[in-house]
């Protein structure tokens, strides 16, 4: 078995074949159901975070490996984290939080695009299977 993977193969997880992302999403779905049935905001929040983390892990791995570009998704995630942190933790006004979040989005978008281009051999995006 070759250690070099093909360009159209999904990158392997660092922990091997253990389905950590899938189990994280499953736990998120279970917590969402518990939150809805039990009317618990905490369980709903945990479910949303777990589900998002499971999907985000796969997106980061695919992006860094040059398999699929998730530039906008990853930059938007940073936007949400920055705006939420400034809004709720620092108590800044919404327009200031949105402006700083927009700056974080723009800077991370540029950096993430360059990261994907380096990993993919110069492509700025990759959709489906690029075979002719």
């Amino acid at each position: 078995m070759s250690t070099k993977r093909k360009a159209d193969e999904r990158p392997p997880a660092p922990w091997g074949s253990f389905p950590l992302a899938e189990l994280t999403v499953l736990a998120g779905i279970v917590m969402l159901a518990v939150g809805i049935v039990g009317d618990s905001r905490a369980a709903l929040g945990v479910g949303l975070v777990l589900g998002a983390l499971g999907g985000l892990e796969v997106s980061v791995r695919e992006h860094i490996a040059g398999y699929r570009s998730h530039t906008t998704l990853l930059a938007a995630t940073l936007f949400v984290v920055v705006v939420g942190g400034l809004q709720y933790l620092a108590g800044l006004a919404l327009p200031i939080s949105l402006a700083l979040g927009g700056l974080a989005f723009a800077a991370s978008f540029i950096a993430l695009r360059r990261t994907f281009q380096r990993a993919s051999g110069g492509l700025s995006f990759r959709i489906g299977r690029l075979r002719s």
Side-chain angles (χ1 to χ4, degrees):
M1 181 122 204
S2 173
T3 58
K4 185 157 177 110
R5 70 177 179 87
K6 295 179 190 175
D8 60 346
E9 283 183 23
R10 199 172 293 277
W15 45 85
S17 62
F18 185 75
L20 182 61
E22 293 83 355
L23 290 174
T24 304
V25 172
L26 177 63
I29 292 169
V30 168
M31 289 303 294
L32 282 171
V34 167
I36 291 170
V37 171
D39 197 30
S40 169
R41 288 186 179 191
L44 281 172
V46 169
L48 287 171
V49 169
L50 284 174
L53 284 176
L56 195 59
E57 182 276 324
V58 174
S59 298
V60 168
R61 185 169 16 112
E62 288 181 354
H63 186 84
I64 291 174
Y67 178 69
R68 295 278 189 273
S69 176
H70 297 287
T71 303
T72 306
L73 173 72
L74 298 174
T77 300
L78 181 63
F79 172 83
V80 169
V81 169
V82 167
V83 171
L86 292 174
Q87 190 71 36
Y88 296 108
L89 299 177
L92 287 180
L94 182 60
I96 296 170
S97 299
L98 290 172
L100 292 173
L103 288 173
F105 175 87
S108 63
F109 186 91
I110 292 167
L112 288 163
R113 175 59 52 106
R114 288 183 184 152
T115 300
F116 183 78
Q117 286 175 330
R118 278 193 303 272
S120 67
L123 296 175
S124 60
F125 66 92
R126 182 177 284 161
I127 301 174
R129 295 182 184 189
L130 298 175
R131 294 184 184 169
S132 44

